[in-house]
């Protein structure tokens, strides 16, 4: 796991949360984030990729996990929603990143930013999504 990528995910989560709540222009959020937040050590290109691409693909990303939720997408906590979208984006767009790394990174974000047990929820949903999107990889990693 790259620390720079981990920090980029953390920053992207915060920026996507802001976008979800305020609906600001993504370019403005990105500029504001670089000006006001500590992004030292973050993979800035990866942060920008997540911030630009996740909002463009919300319908497709949400479709991958919608069937595994115990509530509607609209009823998800905004932090959980952003974490799930980042995780599913990575599962679909970054096959070079092992699915276990993606899930672990999402769980860590949920532990830091989510509600008390949201990390368990995120883990369960993304594990099910990975079994579909990365079936061959999951099967190869099974004990």
């Amino acid at each position: 796991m790259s620390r720079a990528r981990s920090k980029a995910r953390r920053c992207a989560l915060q920026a996507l949360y802001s976008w979800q709540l305020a609906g600001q222009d993504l370019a403005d959020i990105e500029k504001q984030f670089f000006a006001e937040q500590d992004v030292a050590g973050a993979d800035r290109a990866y942060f920008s990729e997540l911030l630009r691409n996740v909002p463009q693909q919300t319908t497709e990303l949400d479709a991958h996990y919608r069937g595994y939720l115990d509530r509607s997408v609209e009823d998800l906590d905004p932090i959980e929603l952003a974490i799930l979208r980042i995780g599913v984006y990575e599962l679909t767009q970054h096959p070079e990143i092992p699915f276990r790394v993606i899930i672990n990174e999402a769980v860590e974000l949920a532990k830091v930013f989510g509600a008390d047990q949201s990390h368990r929820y995120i883990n369960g949903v993304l594990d099910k999504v990975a079994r579909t999107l990365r079936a061959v990889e999951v099967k190869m990693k099974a004990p």
Side-chain angles (χ1 to χ4, degrees):
M1 256 181 304
S2 159
R3 286 182 184 252
R5 282 247 172 127
S6 293
K7 183 136 189 198
R9 286 180 189 94
R10 177 183 285 238
C11 292
L13 171 62
Q14 293 170 307
L16 288 169
Y17 176 79
S18 175
W19 170 75
Q20 288 172 177
L21 293 184
Q24 276 181 279
D25 179 69
L26 293 170
D28 291 341
I29 290 173
E30 185 174 24
K31 283 182 211 167
Q32 181 181 2
F33 211 87
F34 285 140
E36 297 175 7
Q37 301 294 323
D38 177 19
V39 294
D43 181 335
R44 291 171 70 119
Y46 199 65
F47 164 80
S48 294
E49 176 188 342
L50 293 173
L51 182 60
R52 291 180 186 148
N53 294 336
V54 168
Q56 291 176 0
Q57 299 177 26
T58 57
T59 302
E60 296 87 356
L61 297 173
D62 293 352
H64 286 292
Y65 58 80
R66 185 179 307 276
Y68 303 120
L69 300 177
D70 61 355
R71 61 198 112 163
S72 70
V73 171
E74 296 75 28
D75 289 335
L76 284 172
D77 175 84
I79 291 291
E80 290 174 347
L81 180 59
I83 293 170
L84 286 172
R85 286 175 172 169
I86 290 169
V88 173
Y89 175 82
E90 289 184 308
L91 286 168
T92 60
Q93 302 301 314
H94 286 280
E96 77 282 3
I97 303 173
F99 78 95
R100 288 185 176 167
V101 170
I102 293 168
I103 293 172
N104 184 59
E105 288 283 312
V107 166
E108 291 304 314
L109 287 172
K111 285 179 180 178
V112 173
F113 295 101
D116 189 32
Q117 295 296 315
S118 68
H119 67 283
R120 291 178 150 178
Y121 189 72
I122 296 295
N123 183 58
V125 173
L126 287 180
D127 183 63
K128 290 172 186 163
V129 173
R131 290 175 190 275
T132 302
L133 294 176
R134 302 271 191 100
V136 172
E137 182 184 358
V138 170
K139 190 175 245 183
M140 289 174 49
K141 298 287 184 187

